[in-house]
Amino acid sequence: LFKPDGVFTMGASRREQGRRANEATRRVALKRPFYLGVKEISNAEFRHYLKLHSSGHVKGNSLNNDNHPVVNISWQQAALYCNWLSEKEKLPLFYQVEEGLISGFNQQSTGYRLPTEAEWAWSTRLTNDGQMMKYSWGKQLPPTPGSGNFADRSGAAILGFIQANYNDKYAVTAPVGSFAANDRGLYDLSGNVAEWMTDFYEVKTGLSSKIEKDPLGGETGDYHVIRGASWAHGTMTQLRLSFRDYGIDPRNDVGFRIARFVE
């Protein structure tokens, strides 16, 4: 259970090497306490919901082991899994569904959902002593030994750009929780698989003086935010914790973890 206090800054300074234009700084306050999944949802967990799901493979390297994170699922499937979990535990549904498709969400619901981008950033980047992290392991490349599952020597045969001075011993995904947890006791926030956020993707400009409270993203959009590096990411830009991506369709390096608001 997390009860954030105070204001923090999302995004990256224009001076930060590797920064992209969609990382404008924003001041955010999280007022609502929330739960965040300690680990990414595994194939075994997802198959309780969708029995025949296969996460597939990459050039003969399996992504489908029970204890590896589920991948090759759309944003919609991840959100519907959250609703399924809410129904099982008799919690109010967060996502509204019409004809099998998600049409909106109930902001007041305490049911399961995907994390908000702000919750993810707070949980990942802000240390217990208030420092903002550039990478999950510190300020410099290469990653420190054992800091996560990224594109590196072990995946050199199947990947493009890699961290040549790092070896996590996994060509593709690793069992969830294989690497050290962060300051808040959460695993794989950076590395293993990138993660679906609940927010629609939007690009804000400039540093507004306005403090956003518990932002859930825009009301509508074509794509959803993806946060965090994955086993397929090896560039300075991608490995930074402020890196933002977006999509809606399944990818072999995108999975998710669950979250929910507390009464």
Side-chain angles (χ1 to χ4, degrees):
L1 172 62
F2 295 120
K3 296 179 180 176
D5 190 26
V7 176
F8 75 104
T9 301
M10 288 174 62
S13 150
R14 289 181 177 208
R15 294 188 300 276
E16 183 169 300
Q17 240 188 319
R19 177 193 184 271
R20 289 172 36 166
N22 66 0
E23 297 171 24
T25 46
R26 301 163 54 188
R27 297 175 74 217
V28 173
L30 296 180
K31 299 293 188 186
R32 297 176 71 179
F34 64 95
Y35 289 113
L36 188 61
V38 171
K39 295 176 181 174
E40 293 165 339
I41 295 296
S42 69
N43 283 309
E45 288 169 319
F46 192 77
R47 283 195 275 261
H48 286 304
Y49 161 65
L50 206 57
K51 195 173 180 180
L52 297 179
H53 175 75
S54 170
S55 285
H57 64 90
V58 179
K59 295 183 180 171
N61 296 278
S62 179
L63 299 162
N64 209 31
N65 298 333
D66 275 355
N67 59 349
H68 285 229
V70 66
V71 293
N72 281 320
I73 50 158
S74 65
W75 180 88
Q76 189 97 218
Q77 286 176 301
L80 288 171
Y81 172 90
C82 294
N83 269 10
W84 169 79
L85 212 50
S86 296
E87 282 179 335
K88 269 184 60 169
E89 298 190 16
K90 297 183 170 56
L91 291 166
L93 302 188
F94 184 82
Y95 297 104
Q96 294 154 353
V97 180
E98 287 176 33
E99 297 178 4
L101 296 175
I102 289 165
S103 57
F105 51 80
N106 173 9
Q107 296 194 23
Q108 301 315 310
S109 167
T110 55
Y112 289 103
R113 57 178 171 76
L114 298 168
T116 70
E117 186 176 12
E119 288 168 345
W120 189 93
W122 179 87
S123 305
T124 312
R125 298 196 62 197
L126 198 65
T127 64
N128 287 334
D129 60 3
Q131 300 295 311
M132 287 299 280
M133 301 285 283
K134 180 177 181 181
Y135 303 108
S136 60
W137 57 87
K139 294 182 175 170
Q140 303 293 332
L141 288 172
T144 57
S147 57
N149 178 14
F150 310 109
D152 66 343
R153 289 209 305 272
S154 53
I158 58 169
L159 294 167
F161 192 96
I162 61 163
Q163 287 293 314
N165 296 318
Y166 182 69
N167 189 351
D168 56 39
K169 301 183 173 60
Y170 293 97
V172 288
T173 53
V176 295
S178 293
F179 299 89
N182 78 350
D183 249 26
R184 303 189 189 281
L186 303 167
Y187 295 87
D188 295 322
L189 276 165
S190 177
N192 214 3
V193 292
E195 300 179 9
W196 288 119
M197 301 291 109
T198 215
D199 314 36
F200 281 111
Y201 176 74
E202 54 189 344
V203 179
K204 305 219 171 184
T205 53
L207 177 58
S208 152
S209 56
K210 188 173 97 251
I211 293 171
E212 298 175 62
K213 288 186 182 155
D214 297 311
L216 282 159
E219 291 290 306
T220 57
D222 295 324
Y223 301 102
H224 287 273
V225 176
I226 297 169
R227 290 300 297 259
S230 76
W231 62 267
H233 287 145
T235 68
M236 175 201 293
T237 290
Q238 295 164 333
L239 295 176
R240 292 169 316 110
L241 294 175
S242 57
F243 173 66
R244 301 178 75 220
D245 202 352
Y246 61 91
I248 196 163
D249 297 324
R251 253 173 52 185
N252 64 14
D253 71 328
V254 178
F256 70 105
R257 75 181 66 227
I258 55 174
R260 73 184 190 90
F261 290 124
V262 184
E263 295 283 0

